[in-house]
Amino acid sequence: MIDLSKLTIKSAAEALKKKDFSAREITEASLNAIKEKDGEVHAFLEVFDDALFQADEADRRIADGEELSLLGVPIAIKDNMLFSGHCSTAGSKILEGFTAPYDATAIKKLKEAGAILVGRTNMDEFAMGSSTENSAYSVTRNPHDLGRVPGGSSGGSAAALAGEMVLGSLGSDTGGSIRQPAAHCGVVGLKTTYGRVSRHGLIALASSFDQIGPFAKTVTDAEIIYDAIKGRDSMDSTSIDESTYAHRKEYEKVIGVPRAFVEEEGVSAAVRKNFDEAVEKFESLGYKVVDISLPSVPYSLAAYYIILPAEVSSNLARFDGVKYGLHVDGENSIDDYFKTRGEGFGRETRRRLILGTYVLSSGYYDAYYGKAQKAKELITSELRQAFRSVDLIMTPTTPASAFKFGEKSNPLEMYLEDIFTVHANVSGCPAISLPFGKEGDLPLGIELTADLGREDNLFMAGKDFLGE
Ligand code: GLN
């Protein structure tokens, strides 16, 4: 039996090409691992019943001599990406039983690259959360400690990989939902430059921040998935191509550390110590690490938690009980609408809908939404200015390691989990979380952010750092 814990995407793709094993065999190994472990972890909401058909098709393509980067490789996808003919619920009751009528572009591209899509993974409802506790279906457990959260909102995708049930997975990152669970689960997680991966067919959370991206065991594997899914798409007018950010600074291995921000209150002692060790490690690898000042960047969190609910309140208006999923009968159509949304949406979603409607209301628009947009511009220009002299900015990914279920019942405490990740979404910059160090037995992550369009810098530094 194939042991997925001994394989990466790269090594599996090579073995498949050499016919050391077949796509069917590795897919069976993935399905068996899910059967064996997912009863405890609950990373998956559904295992697709056509996984073995996909595998047989991949075996035919391998026999025909096709060479594709993901041919025969088992991958999991987050429950907010449309996969034609399969159910997609975004972790919400309001979409229970909804069948996707077409493929999201990223899914189409994964299929074109030959990936086997084995199942859809659990997530916080509509990707709002940092623990996957907001899913309407179940909690997902951290494979490193079943009493703790895997992070969120893409907790299922991170746990499926960390639990050795697949070789890679897709998540979506609007404020940190790939990087934060990657850090808590000890894997690599990449948030791409805004527009790098098409959002067509991704169930929208906040359209100006959302990006699909990979979870992988190595930076090399993350890059393989990234190469497969990126690119301009006529179905997403905000998607970009290689020429969009053409002004290229030469890579000089200079990393900026916003000291004041990193040493912020609320960061655990283990995370601080680990961060210092990461600095030393980069220095020993020939990197120059310099202190920089980013006074506006800490305000990213406040700006994010105004802009995000505003966009949520608009995007989620489409769930009216008529067009998709759940419908609850009331006295009249307006009552249908209230009842459907009242029953279909969970607590956190309702909280953000109310918040979003409030910050967009005519009396408060300038004070909140308008101000947050100005802050967003300031943060973006501050970061872009910094990238004139440094190639990367380094912070911890999270203020501490994975927490226990129920530990962050105060929503504001939960929002603070995103303190180091949201600047990348607010500015559109790409960022990666690299597994490094531990707090007790729990993994920690180091985050690198690069200038718009400079995923190449993240890959170079990430590979140097992890010794790939
Ligand atoms: N934790 C953040 C939130 O709750 C991030 C969400 C995300 O990236 N999808 O909004």
Side-chain angles (χ1 to χ4, degrees):
M1 178 53 81
I2 300 166
D3 180 357
L4 293 185
S5 72
K6 302 214 159 55
L7 290 170
T8 60
I9 290 177
K10 186 162 181 263
S11 68
E14 275 161 15
L16 281 155
K17 203 162 101 191
K18 286 195 295 182
K19 306 206 169 61
D20 290 347
F21 47 74
S22 65
R24 177 171 262 268
E25 284 166 329
I26 191 169
T27 305
E28 279 170 348
S30 167
L31 297 176
N32 284 336
I34 296 170
K35 217 174 269 165
E36 214 173 276
K37 302 175 191 171
D38 209 41
E40 274 187 333
V41 176
H42 292 299
F44 286 88
L45 289 176
E46 180 185 356
V47 176
F48 298 134
D49 56 10
D50 59 358
L52 288 173
F53 290 100
Q54 298 176 46
D56 290 341
E57 173 63 20
D59 279 326
R60 271 191 292 277
R61 292 167 83 176
I62 294 169
D64 284 349
E66 279 192 55
E67 288 190 13
L68 301 162
S69 61
L70 293 166
L71 191 49
V73 176
I75 301 277
I77 60 171
K78 188 174 177 178
D79 186 35
N80 58 355
M81 295 162 197
L82 303 194
F83 177 18
S84 184
H86 298 75
C87 183
S88 257
T89 73
S92 181
K93 245 170 82 176
I94 211 158
L95 277 173
E96 193 161 16
F98 171 73
T99 301
Y102 58 87
D103 281 333
T105 300
I107 297 301
K108 186 171 133 247
K109 288 185 172 224
L110 271 192
K111 283 159 76 174
E112 283 165 3
I116 313 297
L117 306 180
V118 294
R120 60 183 168 97
T121 57
N122 197 19
M123 57 182 281
D124 285 304
E125 185 176 29
F126 288 104
M128 284 179 266
S130 303
S131 66
T132 313
E133 291 166 294
N134 293 338
S135 165
Y137 298 99
S138 71
V139 295
T140 294
R141 298 181 183 281
N142 191 319
H144 294 274
D145 178 344
L146 297 174
R148 290 174 189 266
V149 303
S153 63
S154 317
S157 287
L161 177 65
E164 310 286 5
M165 295 181 255
V166 285
L167 293 182
S169 53
L170 286 190
S172 64
D173 192 312
T174 305
S177 283
I178 295 176
R179 291 159 286 153
Q180 186 255 14
H184 285 341
C185 289
V187 296
V188 174
L190 172 71
K191 197 288 277 184
T192 57
T193 303
Y194 180 73
R196 184 65 94 194
V197 178
S198 168
R199 289 178 295 109
H200 176 62
L202 170 70
I203 298 174
L205 171 58
S207 310
S208 72
F209 297 146
D210 295 343
Q211 272 297 284
I212 292 175
F215 287 97
K217 291 184 191 175
T218 62
V219 175
T220 306
D221 281 3
E223 190 176 3
I224 292 173
I225 298 181
Y226 165 81
D227 282 333
I229 62 176
K230 71 179 181 184
R232 197 193 282 276
D233 177 16
S234 60
M235 301 304 282
D236 174 1
S237 62
T238 62
S239 62
I240 60 168
D241 58 28
E242 302 296 333
S243 66
T244 309
Y245 298 109
H247 302 288
R248 310 220 119 196
K249 173 187 176 299
E250 214 185 307
Y251 187 57
E252 293 166 310
K253 298 192 169 185
V254 181
I255 299 179
V257 171
R259 275 283 158 204
F261 184 37
V262 170
E263 281 164 14
E264 169 133 2
E265 255 180 275
V267 176
S268 80
V271 166
R272 276 191 212 196
K273 185 164 165 279
N274 192 58
F275 183 77
D276 291 339
E277 283 167 17
V279 169
E280 277 166 31
K281 180 160 180 190
F282 267 118
E283 282 172 340
S284 75
L285 292 165
Y287 280 74
K288 191 171 159 205
V289 181
V290 296
D291 282 1
I292 55 171
S293 153
L294 298 171
S296 307
V297 164
Y299 295 104
S300 304
L301 195 70
Y304 172 86
Y305 275 99
I306 289 176
I307 299 170
L308 178 124
E311 294 191 24
V312 166
S313 73
S314 156
N315 271 329
L316 269 53
R318 75 191 69 181
F319 300 103
D320 55 6
V322 179
K323 295 193 278 293
Y324 314 89
L326 185 75
H327 171 85
V328 183
D329 267 329
E331 312 252 308
N332 51 43
S333 359
I334 286 286
D335 200 34
D336 287 4
Y337 183 74
F338 284 135
K339 285 217 161 74
T340 302
R341 288 170 66 88
E343 278 185 34
F345 289 139
R347 255 178 100 79
E348 182 61 22
T349 302
R350 281 179 282 147
R351 176 182 294 118
R352 297 209 200 179
L353 287 170
I354 292 167
L355 210 62
T357 312
Y358 180 78
V359 300
L360 287 175
S361 61
S362 62
Y364 294 100
Y365 184 96
D366 290 337
Y368 295 108
Y369 186 74
K371 261 254 175 71
Q373 286 294 349
K374 283 188 194 140
K376 173 182 157 137
E377 266 171 46
L378 197 65
I379 292 157
T380 309
S381 70
E382 190 169 287
L383 283 166
R384 299 220 63 194
Q385 181 69 29
F387 287 124
R388 289 187 185 179
S389 50
V390 302
D391 300 297
L392 300 153
I393 292 172
M394 180 160 82
T395 64
T397 309
T398 58
S401 55
F403 47 94
K404 294 194 175 125
F405 292 99
E407 195 179 314
K408 294 195 194 285
S409 53
N410 174 343
L412 291 179
E413 264 176 49
M414 189 72 92
Y415 300 167
L416 279 172
E417 265 293 292
D418 309 329
I419 184 80
F420 294 126
T421 51
V422 281
H423 66 277
N425 307 78
V426 167
S427 62
C429 290
I432 195 165
S433 180
L434 304 168
F436 181 71
K438 297 247 159 151
E439 181 164 26
D441 289 333
L442 298 167
L444 293 172
I446 291 294
E447 181 184 52
L448 298 173
T449 306
D451 197 4
L452 292 168
R454 298 311 302 265
E455 280 85 352
D456 54 343
N457 288 356
L458 300 178
F459 296 141
M460 275 189 281
K463 286 178 200 169
D464 283 346
F465 190 66
L466 296 184
E468 294 175 25

